[in-house]
């Protein structure tokens, strides 16, 4: 099970997260866990404007997580061979990079 | 020197005494050995070869089954609670025509209550079973193809009648629920299949369409058979009407003239 090192998932710099997967495939576990973490009430409470959209398909396509940040940057993760932790760490590192910039800019 | 002589006599005596059945007086132990015997004396090459050729190879014995206890026996122990859950699952699968599998992200209690209320109006219940129990039950039953759906936090939407539209509308309102699939009338459907199922017309409408489609051909042949005599009879009737209004028209003006 995905155990996060830091349990808070900050979505402040995120505009939209689209997660698409096909639940009948076997490579979907990490994507679903990522969805469970990102879609939780805590994560949503960090940013109410952020949309978390999940698309369920049935065409044997690979699971894809598409994150659009507030400043227009996109992060596309193909979850077929990635674990949930890897995806979460990549996501959180980018969020941190953007968030301290925003907080420093706002303090100044 | 004397030792050497003793040894000589001993070896000679050995041979003499063996023949007579006497026990040996002296047995030489260190015959043919060098002074230092702390290390292993290197074998003569021929002796080494002989030992290598005639080395003992034990027969390969197969391990008889059941000697080593397998670990699978521990897994088979089922808790009574798990048995109870399985019984409940069986009842659910027998009773309910519609079973929807939904991934729920952990949401607040209020949202859950609202959702339960909304679904309870249409007699749709929300049931939770642990994934392990679910998977072990499914692998034994007919519904084994549903097994890959049950990863992560999942919840069952169960109802006796397939009220798909209401379920879909309730799910659309709550953003944290994602419909993964459903088992409706013992058929496994994906999310898109469920949407298509909801768009189907009701059973009576479909039956009526089917009946009309089947009888269309027969009605057409009947029409074609009856077409000619019907046309003829229609023409004859028209002719009669033409005849009689002429008579009637003559009679009525005569009546008007008379009046």
């Amino acid at each position: 099970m995905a155990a996060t090192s830091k349990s808070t998932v900050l979505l402040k710099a995120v505009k939209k997260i689209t997660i698409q997967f096909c639940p009948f495939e076997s490579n979907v576990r990490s994507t679903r866990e990522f969805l469970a973490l990102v879609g939780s009430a805590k994560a949503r409470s960090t940013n109410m404007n952020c949309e978390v959209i999940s698309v369920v398909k049935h065409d044997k396509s690979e699971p894809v997580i598409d994150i659009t940040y507030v400043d227009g940057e996109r992060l596309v993760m193909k979850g077929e061979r990635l674990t949930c932790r890897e995806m979460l760490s990549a996501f959180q590192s980018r969020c941190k990079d953007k968030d301290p910039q925003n907080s420093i800019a706002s303090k100044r | 020197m004397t030792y050497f002589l003793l040894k000589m006599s001993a070896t000679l005596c050995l041979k003499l005494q063996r023949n007579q059945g006497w026990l040996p007086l002296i047995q030489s132990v260190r015959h043919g050995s060098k002074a230092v015997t702390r290390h292993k004396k290197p074998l003569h090459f021929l002796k080494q070869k002989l030992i290598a050729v005639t080395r003992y190879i034990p027969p390969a014995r197969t391990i008889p089954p059941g000697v080593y206890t397998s670990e699978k026996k521990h897994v088979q122990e089922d808790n009574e609670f798990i048995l109870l859950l399985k019984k409940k699952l069986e009842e659910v699968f027998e009773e309910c025509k519609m079973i929807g599998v939904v991934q729920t992200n952990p949401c607040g209690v209020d949202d859950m209550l609202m959702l339960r209320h909304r679904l309870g109006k249409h007699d749709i219940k929300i049931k939770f079973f642990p994934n392990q129990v679910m998977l072990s039950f499914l692998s034994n039953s007919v519904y084994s193809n549903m097994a890959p759906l049950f990863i992560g936090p999942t919840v069952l939407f169960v109802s006796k009648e397939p009220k798909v539209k209401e379920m879909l509308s309730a799910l659309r309102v709550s953003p944290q629920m994602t419909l993964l699939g459903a088992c409706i009338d013992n058929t496994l459907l994906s999310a898109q299949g469920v949407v298509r199922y909801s768009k189907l017309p009701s059973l009576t409408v479909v039956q009526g369409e089917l009946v009309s489609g089947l009888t269309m051909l027969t009605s057409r042949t009947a029409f074609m058979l009856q077409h000619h005599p019907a046309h003829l009879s229609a023409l004859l009737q028209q002719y009669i009407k033409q005849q009689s209004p002429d008579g009637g028209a003559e009679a009525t003006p005569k009546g008007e003239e008379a009046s």
Side-chain angles (χ1 to χ4, degrees):
Chain A
M1 296 307 289
T4 51
S5 53
K6 291 188 184 174
S7 56
T8 53
V9 177
L10 281 175
L11 294 176
K12 280 188 184 158
V14 180
K15 191 176 167 191
K16 185 173 156 191
I17 301 179
T18 309
I19 303 180
Q20 68 180 43
F21 59 95
C22 168
F24 290 96
E25 292 288 312
S26 51
N27 49 7
V28 165
R29 193 187 191 102
S30 55
T31 317
R32 280 179 71 170
E33 287 171 4
F34 187 81
L35 171 65
L37 283 171
V38 163
S40 65
K42 269 193 203 174
R44 276 165 200 267
S45 63
T46 57
N47 185 0
M48 299 307 288
N49 295 329
C50 172
E51 302 167 358
V52 179
I53 301 168
S54 57
V55 179
V56 177
K57 289 188 181 173
H58 192 38
D59 49 1
K60 295 191 187 177
S61 57
E62 18 171 83
V64 174
I65 300 175
D66 188 355
I67 302 171
T68 314
Y69 288 97
V70 172
D71 48 3
E73 193 186 316
R74 272 183 73 190
L75 171 67
V76 175
M77 295 195 275
K78 297 201 177 167
E80 193 176 345
R81 309 269 182 190
L82 294 169
T83 65
C84 183
R85 266 195 206 181
E86 288 169 8
M87 291 200 278
L88 194 69
S89 63
F91 172 61
Q92 274 184 329
S93 64
R94 266 161 237 263
C95 279
K96 264 194 228 169
D97 291 335
K98 293 188 193 247
D99 208 28
Q101 285 172 10
N102 288 337
S103 62
I104 288 163
S106 62
K107 276 175 193 173
R108 285 177 188 172
Chain B
M1 195 60 188
T2 48
Y3 176 63
F4 179 70
L5 284 169
L6 269 171
K7 270 186 88 178
M8 284 287 288
S9 62
T11 46
L12 288 169
C13 290
L14 265 175
K15 285 186 185 171
L16 289 169
Q17 280 162 9
R18 253 184 220 158
N19 293 333
Q20 293 169 15
W22 285 21
L23 281 168
L25 287 171
I26 299 170
Q27 278 191 335
S28 64
V29 175
R30 294 185 71 175
H31 168 74
S33 61
K34 295 197 176 168
V36 177
T37 52
R38 294 281 174 188
H39 57 271
K40 281 189 183 172
K41 186 181 167 182
L43 291 173
H44 194 270
F45 186 60
L46 287 173
K47 195 171 179 185
Q48 210 174 1
K49 270 192 192 175
L50 197 68
I51 284 170
V53 165
T54 58
R55 198 178 51 191
Y56 173 65
I57 299 169
R61 283 188 189 172
T62 53
I63 302 166
V67 167
Y68 297 111
T69 52
S70 55
E71 287 181 10
K72 280 183 190 175
K73 282 184 187 174
H74 289 282
V75 178
Q76 279 170 9
E77 286 172 9
D78 257 349
N79 224 352
E80 286 171 1
F81 181 58
I82 291 176
L83 286 171
L84 181 72
L85 285 174
K86 280 192 183 176
K87 270 188 204 172
K88 275 197 176 179
L89 260 176
E90 266 187 61
E91 284 168 17
V92 161
F93 269 94
E94 272 169 43
E95 276 179 4
C96 307
K97 279 193 181 178
M98 179 179 86
I99 301 166
V101 181
V102 174
Q103 173 157 349
T104 61
N105 299 319
C107 53
V109 183
D110 309 331
D111 297 331
M112 275 303 275
L113 277 174
M114 285 294 292
L115 190 69
R116 270 183 197 262
H117 176 67
R118 214 174 279 139
L119 291 172
K121 278 188 218 168
H122 305 288
D123 204 21
I124 301 177
K125 294 174 203 166
I126 301 181
K127 299 232 173 193
F128 172 74
F129 292 98
N131 278 349
Q132 267 187 355
V133 172
M134 196 78 209
L135 287 170
S136 68
F137 171 76
L138 287 176
S139 58
N140 289 334
S141 75
V142 188
Y143 308 96
S144 53
N145 287 331
M146 283 173 77
L149 292 176
F150 291 96
I151 297 176
T154 22
V155 142
L156 291 180
F157 282 19
V158 181
S159 85
K160 288 188 188 172
E161 278 158 46
K163 294 197 174 172
V164 184
K165 281 185 193 169
E166 292 87 8
M167 189 173 82
L168 282 175
S169 58
L171 285 171
R172 239 178 272 154
V173 176
S174 54
Q176 60 265 19
M177 305 265 185
T178 13
L179 180 67
L180 300 168
C183 176
I184 302 178
D185 282 338
N186 282 336
T187 36
L188 184 58
L189 298 169
S190 67
Q192 291 137 357
V194 170
V195 171
R196 265 182 257 152
Y197 181 89
S198 67
K199 289 182 189 165
L200 284 177
S202 73
L203 199 62
T204 47
V205 170
V206 173
Q207 279 173 348
E209 278 181 16
L210 185 71
V211 164
S212 67
L214 286 172
T215 54
M216 192 181 77
L217 286 169
T218 49
S219 67
R220 202 174 154 74
T221 46
F223 170 73
M224 284 173 77
L225 284 169
Q226 291 165 357
H227 172 66
H228 286 298
H231 193 57
L232 181 64
S233 60
L235 283 171
L236 285 170
Q237 277 185 354
Q238 187 73 21
Y239 182 67
I240 291 165
K241 273 185 194 169
Q242 277 175 350
Q243 293 290 318
S244 55
D246 289 337
E250 284 168 3
T252 45
K254 279 181 187 171
E256 282 174 6
E257 284 171 8
S259 66

